[in-house]
Amino acid sequence: AQSVTQLGSHVSVSEGALVLLRCNYSSSVPPYLFWYVQYPNQGLQLLLKYTSAATLVKGINGFEAEFKKSETSFHLTKPSAHMSDAAEYFCAVSDPTSGTYKYIFGTGTRLKVLA
Amino acid sequence: DGGITQSPKYLFRKEGQNVTLSCEQNLNHDAMYWYRQDPGQGLRLIYYSQIVNDFQKGDIAEGYSVSREKKESFPLTVTSAQKNPTAFYLCASSISRAMRQPQHFGDGTRLSIL
């Protein structure tokens, strides 16, 4: 079955430092991959998506992610953290070949940005 | 602006009571989903619907029921059979069975037990 693993339930970075949030998926075929951000008591907002075009995907708010098939990874990065980036981040995957029409979510990574 | 509206934002349930969470979308999306979010557990799928008058159980459907009588609406009922209903509930929609498109989310309903 399709699954998503996010390493690190909590990540802390200093303001201005590199942000790296990890996501690995399990699938025999390349799935579609998504990163979402969630602020407290709100829904999820799409940051970026990979749908088998370019492997380096740029999203909103300066975030980007690189799809690496050999590593089954889709890590999220941002060169310089801002205080407003403090939130919870979710990686999600859909498998168009599964026939189940489900999206599978990781357990989330809470990002803390230190002044 | 198009989007998903969930109501109410906060809801309290008494013992033995059924409560219904509303989800309405004006995005003309075919598919709609309900998720439950608990701290540290990510999003767990309760029910989903690909077309009107059809829906499927997700991973944690016990104690919940849904209907899809209109394309725009996908209400979730938390029944008295759900013994641990306290959670944050999120409704989402997506454009079609083309799974390359992301989901759009409402702002959630927080359900608590009185």
Side-chain angles (χ1 to χ4, degrees):
Chain A
Q2 188 70 262
S3 67
V4 176
T5 301
Q6 290 185 243
L7 285 176
S9 58
H10 292 80
V11 170
S12 293
V13 299
S14 297
E15 191 175 18
L18 171 72
V19 175
L20 171 61
L21 305 181
R22 301 177 185 274
C23 174
N24 289 87
Y25 66 91
S26 68
S27 174
S28 59
V29 297
Y32 300 133
L33 293 152
F34 310 90
W35 273 101
Y36 293 88
V37 61
Q38 185 182 33
Y39 298 99
N41 293 313
Q42 293 186 22
L44 277 65
Q45 302 171 34
L46 180 70
L47 279 175
L48 49 79
K49 64 180 181 182
Y50 167 77
T51 57
S52 74
T55 56
L56 182 62
V57 180
K58 294 190 183 297
I60 63 172
N61 300 340
F63 284 94
E64 63 182 36
E66 186 172 9
F67 173 72
K68 292 187 176 180
K69 182 179 177 181
S70 61
E71 299 177 8
T72 60
S73 69
F74 190 56
H75 302 332
L76 182 71
T77 60
K78 181 174 181 178
S80 176
H82 191 272
M83 297 299 288
S84 61
D85 295 327
E88 190 155 23
Y89 293 80
F90 291 93
C91 181
V93 62
S94 68
D95 180 355
T97 65
S98 70
T100 63
Y101 309 109
K102 293 181 182 179
Y103 295 79
I104 308 300
F105 286 81
T107 52
T109 297
R110 187 169 299 278
L111 176 67
K112 186 175 182 179
V113 182
L114 307 172
Chain B
D1 286 340
I4 298 180
T5 301
Q6 289 188 242
S7 61
K9 191 165 181 64
Y10 298 95
L11 186 58
F12 298 90
R13 196 192 88 170
K14 296 179 181 178
E15 290 289 336
Q17 186 182 44
N18 293 352
V19 292
T20 297
L21 285 61
S22 171
C23 178
E24 302 279 332
Q25 55 102 355
N26 61 2
L27 298 166
N28 200 32
H29 285 175
D30 291 312
M32 297 187 75
Y33 304 77
W34 273 106
Y35 294 93
R36 171 179 171 140
Q37 187 177 21
D38 296 280
Q41 296 194 45
L43 276 67
R44 293 185 289 167
L45 182 64
I46 304 173
Y47 270 97
Y48 63 107
S49 168
Q50 294 295 315
I51 55 173
V52 174
N53 292 322
D54 187 46
F55 48 83
Q56 285 76 43
K57 292 182 179 180
D59 302 315
I60 56 165
E62 185 174 351
Y64 300 97
S65 65
V66 293
S67 63
R68 187 85 186 276
E69 297 176 359
K70 298 186 300 181
K71 188 175 185 178
E72 303 79 21
S73 178
F74 192 41
L76 173 74
T77 296
V78 183
T79 75
S80 57
Q82 172 51 247
K83 297 306 179 187
N84 183 24
T86 297
F88 191 53
Y89 291 86
L90 287 164
C91 179
S93 69
S94 62
I95 193 166
S96 72
R97 295 185 177 192
M99 301 301 288
R100 67 173 56 236
Q101 298 301 329
Q103 294 178 302
H104 295 247
F105 285 83
D107 279 339
T109 292
R110 188 167 297 280
L111 176 61
S112 303
I113 292 292
L114 276 178

